[in-house]
Amino acid sequence: MRNFVIMNISLKSPFNDNVEKPYILAGPCSAESRSQVMDTARQLADGGIKIFRAGVWKPRTRPGGFEGVGLPALDWLAEVKATTGMAVATEVATAAHSDACIRAGIDILWIGARTSANPFAVQEIADELSRHSDKPALLVKNPVSPDLNLWIGAIQRLYEAGAERIGAVHRGFSSYGEPLYRNRPHWSIPFELRRCVPGITMLCDPSHIAGRRDLVEEVARKAMAMDFDGLIIESHCHPAEALSDSAQQLTPAELLDMLTRLGRHTTGTSDAELDGMRERIDRLDESLLSILASRMELSEEIGRYKKIHGMSAVQPHRYNALMDTRVSEGERIGLSPDFLRQILSAIHEESVKRQLAILSGKTQE
């Protein structure tokens, strides 16, 4: 990653002093109905959550999907604030959204990944904020693509509009072929943002990185181990019925249980050098997974070729020759022969399994 200029700005925490670290923002992906919002909010408030999040407007790539309730949902958030004492947060994508939220008394606005990637949209929001003396706290999610300059630029535009209570949210980056997470973490990028914007409050959004509720805790634990300041997590009273992002939302009870487990295993300290090395391991592991996926795709392509030409799935002489060659090459760069044979044997076994499925007609070609 190339070096970026360190910004000489002084940001304040987007959270009030009565909210302790780690900061937790929780609530449904979308505010779908008053009953859904209030039910979820009460359960979270009873569990000690101080900040309620819910989407009012939901950007969708194609028309026809659920795009949020819009302005009526702001009244539900105001009711949450009045009845539970929680601060409330929602996403804005336009100047009109920002104006409506400020007038409704929304405490925290976040700029979503699609919007932060659009300097024109961010500037329009910044211009709207500049017209208000009492500015809300702001959170800026990373752009959908791994472009640190876009992320920094969005923060800078808001700061130059007079906003000082600004934090950042790492929600991962869109990619193709990722075998595990919905959005690839690229942990090095939020680390670099922290270097470039000293003192910025950094949250992690494990819901959007994971994309699956069974992986949310894994990502949250990693973020806490890397000394993130908090988490923004999707929680719905009935996730199976959610109108958006159903697969990644936790019930309030599941969320609170997860936070209890994180609290038991988080020391609250961080070794920056060790974290940096672990982040490099994560990047290498991501590359390995991507390479393995590409190799299996090529194995299947070979399987289809063999089927057309009446060839068998396994050629023992080639396998033995390749094994000897790869082990010899690995030894020259310091890898254990036994380790290499185990790895290469497992890769070959999976490749043969996929080719046999094609040759036997048990998979789509």
Side-chain angles (χ1 to χ4, degrees), residues 30-32 55-60 65-73 76 243-244:
S30 303
E32 301 164 356
V56 171
W57 300 277
K58 301 302 299 180
R60 290 292 175 259
F66 176 67
E67 297 184 339
V69 172
L71 291 176
W76 307 335
L243 299 180
S244 57

Side-chain angles (χ1 to χ4, degrees), residues 103-254:
R103 295 179 186 278
I106 304 301
D107 302 286
I108 302 170
L109 310 183
W110 79 77
I111 312 298
R114 299 171 190 236
T115 307
S116 64
N118 185 339
F120 296 106
V122 175
Q123 189 60 54
E124 288 179 0
I125 293 171
D127 291 343
E128 178 61 40
L129 291 171
S130 69
R131 289 190 276 270
H132 294 267
S133 57
D134 189 14
K135 295 176 176 56
L138 298 167
L139 298 174
V140 183
K141 288 196 172 186
N142 62 258
V144 291
S145 60
D147 188 328
L148 182 57
N149 265 328
L150 277 176
W151 202 358
I152 294 174
I155 293 167
Q156 186 173 5
R157 289 175 189 276
L158 298 170
Y159 180 78
E160 291 179 354
E164 295 181 326
R165 298 167 58 209
I166 303 175
V169 178
H170 174 46
R171 50 80 75 192
F173 303 90
S174 298
S175 62
Y176 295 98
E178 173 56 51
L180 184 59
Y181 297 133
R182 175 180 177 182
N183 291 298
R184 197 179 290 251
H186 290 304
W187 294 106
S188 60
I189 296 178
F191 271 105
E192 185 70 2
L193 178 70
R194 274 182 156 174
R195 187 188 71 83
C196 293
V197 189
I200 192 167
T201 299
M202 178 69 72
L203 306 181
C204 179
D205 179 349
S207 302
H208 278 89
I209 290 177
R212 289 167 31 192
R213 64 178 58 89
D214 61 308
L215 295 175
V216 169
E217 181 170 343
E218 173 185 309
V219 177
R221 188 175 300 281
K222 183 174 291 188
M224 291 292 91
M226 290 190 282
D227 207 27
F228 276 70
D229 297 301
L231 306 169
I232 177 168
I233 306 179
E234 292 186 345
S235 178
H236 192 296
C237 54
H238 301 291
E241 301 172 9
L243 299 180
S244 57
D245 284 352
S246 173
Q248 67 195 38
Q249 299 196 64
L250 306 174
T251 65
E254 290 170 338

